[in-house]
Amino acid sequence: MYNKDWAKVDINTVPNIITEVPGPKSKEYHDRASQYMKGYSSQVRLFPVAFESGKGCVLSDVDGNDYIDFSSGIYVTGLGHCHPKISEAVALYANKLMNCHDFTTKIKMDLLEKLAEVTQGDLNGIQLYDSGTTAVEAGLRCARAATGKFEFISFWRDFHGKTMGSVSLAMVDSTQGMRAPGFYQAPRPNCYRCPFKLNYPECKCHCVDFIEDVIANETSQQLAAIVLEPIQGWNGSVIPPDEFMPRLRKLCDKYGILLFADEVLTGMARTGKMFCMEHWDTVPDITTIGKGFGNGFPVTAMCISDKYKGVVENISASSSYGGNPMACAAALASLEVIEEENLCERSEHLGNIMLERMKKIKSDHPIVGDVRGKGCLLAIELVKDKRTKEAFEEAGKLVYQKAFEKGLAWVPSKSTLRLSPPLIMEDEMALKGLDIIDEAIGEVERDLL
Ligand SMILES: Cc1ncc(COP(=O)(O)O)c(C=O)c1O
């Protein structure tokens, strides 16, 4: 049963903004910290609040203001902040055994058995890590070891992390320079902004056929894997058409290429299924898991098909903290909570309710060009003109800030606003959060149009 009592709040009491925000203590703490800490995310740069605590779906700052959480700590705390089952599991091992390299522990054995049970198909070769990007790196090394080939194709505006292999799969920022040799990119299906200026379904999903052109003209036929996010996260919940993934699987099989689905953001019930690839009945050869896996405790995994799992022995796969007892306890408890509280169904239900309300926001506002989502992975894209679809970055920034001032902690991405509430959020609270967004968009329209 969906057990929400521990996270219950009186909806009339949130959000609760009692100072100007960011408040005086937030300002002081952030100013002092930022003397040293450099390289903040745009989320923080645009709203430098300092947080004190979180419970369920509510975040509290150091000045005593309470916010509805539409970010889940950047897609991480999907089961709510400080879920008692997870906090207790971590505390148990914080007092018992914190780290012991990659030696076996009972909690690790239990986690591995549970993870193998819930992953798709035969993705039973597992290694555990402490960040999404190191899991992706391990997946890349495994793909090379399994195929004896070295090249990769990834997709425009996908994101896979910030270590060198991961950034070579993507275009993270202007300082990146060249990708490492052997990394190529293909246009990503994006039906709102088709890279081929075609319309779905008349396009017949041309983006899949075009990958064959990329293989023929860019690579030296030494492809180890095609790597992708099942749904784009950072780029604003961009969902591929339904036939894309099964056709990509066929294409990989035709060329003997591994299919590598990076589920760091989309996994753990975020999109209404335990793993997003389940929406298209498509099983990859490699998958990576992170973010919601430990609900805030840094634990991630790289899972590879039984067919290739022997190669994990050859990539020097272990790490200092990967799969330490606290991490395993957090991940096992999180998987159990997803099942016990039926959070796949909950995520789908909440996402549907939110998307319906977002469609109304779109029809009411001239600057809302697109609303989209699967489960609790949602986005609103702002445009200067619905016909030309010109991106409205200034509005994106202002709507983010205004809604935050009204008590909504969430995530901007230039002209796109990203929504990823905890999966346990009550319908009423989610709709209240969307009312705040509606109001903020209205105010920005009055200021800018
Ligand atoms: C799809 C995807 N892969 C990998 C990563 C990297 O994860 P981490 O920040 O834990 O290294 C991210 C982070 O946002 C992600 O969204």
Side-chain angles (χ1 to χ4, degrees):
M1 249 316 274
Y2 172 52
N3 168 11
K4 51 198 172 186
D5 287 353
W6 69 275
K8 234 182 173 35
V9 284
D10 176 353
I11 187 69
N12 298 313
T13 63
V14 279
N16 184 32
I17 302 298
I18 55 171
T19 68
E20 67 160 326
V21 283
K25 274 195 194 165
S26 271
K27 281 188 185 137
E28 185 204 326
Y29 295 176
H30 184 74
D31 285 352
R32 283 168 61 181
S34 61
Q35 305 259 330
Y36 312 101
M37 176 88 164
K38 301 293 167 195
Y40 286 98
S41 64
S42 62
Q43 199 182 351
V44 176
R45 280 199 309 272
L46 294 174
F47 206 86
V49 64
F51 285 116
E52 170 91 2
S53 61
K55 183 164 179 224
C57 305
V58 178
L59 276 167
S60 303
D61 74 15
V62 290
D63 294 285
N65 301 297
D66 299 327
Y67 304 78
I68 294 177
D69 181 15
F70 262 22
S71 158
S72 299
I74 200 81
Y75 308 94
V76 171
T77 51
L79 316 182
H81 294 279
C82 303
H83 192 295
K85 178 161 176 162
I86 298 156
S87 300
E88 280 161 26
V90 173
L92 180 71
Y93 282 92
N95 285 303
K96 191 173 174 185
L97 180 63
M98 281 178 142
N99 211 63
C100 55
H101 194 200
D102 65 334
F103 284 98
T104 296
T105 54
K106 178 172 183 307
I107 191 76
K108 185 188 285 181
M109 174 192 78
D110 290 342
L111 170 65
L112 294 172
E113 287 179 354
K114 183 74 199 166
L115 186 55
E117 183 192 312
V118 299
T119 46
Q120 289 179 275
D122 67 347
L123 291 167
N124 299 325
I126 301 172
Q127 182 56 258
L128 297 165
Y129 294 98
D130 48 36
S131 67
T133 198
T134 43
V136 170
E137 297 285 343
L140 297 179
R141 298 201 321 277
C142 279
R144 284 183 171 169
T147 59
K149 298 181 177 169
F150 66 95
E151 294 178 316
F152 297 98
I153 289 179
S154 54
F155 290 91
W156 291 2
R157 298 177 71 78
D158 270 13
F159 177 71
H160 299 283
K162 296 179 182 172
T163 48
M164 272 301 166
S166 301
V167 296
S168 289
L169 292 168
M171 181 53 76
V172 171
D173 61 42
S174 56
T175 63
Q176 179 173 337
M178 283 172 65
R179 281 184 198 100
F183 287 79
Y184 308 96
Q185 286 209 326
R188 163 107 194 178
N190 179 343
C191 297
Y192 181 63
R193 296 184 180 281
C194 175
F196 300 102
K197 310 274 184 287
L198 297 172
N199 290 314
Y200 181 78
E202 298 83 58
C203 64
K204 300 200 174 81
C205 220
H206 176 64
C207 36
V208 186
D209 298 330
F210 192 77
I211 296 167
E212 299 206 49
D213 289 342
V214 175
I215 295 173
N217 296 299
E218 302 259 356
T219 75
S220 49
Q221 322 297 312
Q222 290 293 316
L223 263 179
I226 293 183
V227 189
L228 85 168
E229 288 186 83
I231 293 177
Q232 287 185 320
W234 169 76
N235 194 33
S237 311
V238 180
I239 305 164
D242 281 341
E243 62 264 53
F244 179 77
M245 229 43 98
R247 283 183 55 192
L248 187 63
R249 175 72 269 182
K250 275 199 191 128
L251 187 144
C252 285
D253 293 342
K254 175 175 161 189
Y255 286 90
I257 305 165
L258 302 193
L259 179 60
F260 179 167
D262 177 1
E263 295 248 20
V264 163
L265 188 146
T266 51
M268 298 299 120
R270 172 59 50 196
T271 69
K273 303 267 187 203
M274 186 66 93
F275 295 100
C276 188
M277 293 294 275
E278 293 172 34
H279 286 290
W280 306 288
D281 288 327
T282 302
V283 182
D285 301 295
I286 299 175
T287 198
T288 39
I289 307 169
K291 293 199 181 265
F293 189 35
N295 202 48
F297 197 94
V299 53
T300 66
M302 187 279 305
C303 308
I304 187 165
S305 155
D306 278 338
K307 291 197 278 293
Y308 310 109
K309 74 179 176 193
V311 303
V312 187
E313 305 289 354
N314 305 334
I315 66 153
S316 193
S318 66
S319 66
S320 301
Y321 315 111
N324 82 23
M326 293 181 293
C328 292
L332 181 60
S334 300
L335 285 170
E336 286 172 357
V337 168
I338 292 172
E339 288 187 344
E340 287 160 10
E341 299 186 10
N342 294 323
L343 292 182
C344 290
E345 290 81 356
R346 179 77 206 145
S347 172
E348 187 186 357
H349 163 85
L350 186 63
N352 286 340
I353 286 188
M354 291 180 71
L355 196 54
E356 275 313 302
R357 176 73 178 91
M358 287 158 64
K359 284 180 187 161
K360 170 86 170 65
I361 293 177
K362 178 182 165 187
S363 70
D364 288 348
H365 290 283
I367 67 167
V368 178
D370 193 31
V371 294
R372 52 187 178 251
K374 229 185 212 334
C376 286
L377 182 56
L378 300 141
I380 297 175
E381 188 161 340
L382 304 181
V383 291
K384 290 188 178 163
D385 178 326
K386 289 198 193 208
R387 201 180 38 82
T388 64
K389 301 183 183 174
E390 188 186 342
F392 206 167
E393 281 190 27
E394 179 63 6
K397 184 179 118 184
L398 291 175
V399 171
Y400 169 72
Q401 289 171 323
K402 276 193 192 289
F404 220 132
E405 279 166 16
K406 294 173 192 290
L408 187 77
W410 61 327
V411 193
S413 180
K414 299 190 173 161
S415 58
T416 302
L417 297 154
R418 298 185 277 163
L419 292 67
S420 62
L423 316 177
I424 62 162
M425 188 173 278
E426 303 264 3
D427 298 357
E428 227 181 345
M429 192 187 280
L431 293 174
K432 197 162 182 183
L434 287 167
D435 287 345
I436 293 176
I437 294 175
D438 192 356
E439 209 178 288
I441 293 174
E443 287 172 16
V444 169
E445 278 172 347
R446 278 193 289 283
D447 289 349
L448 293 186
L449 294 185

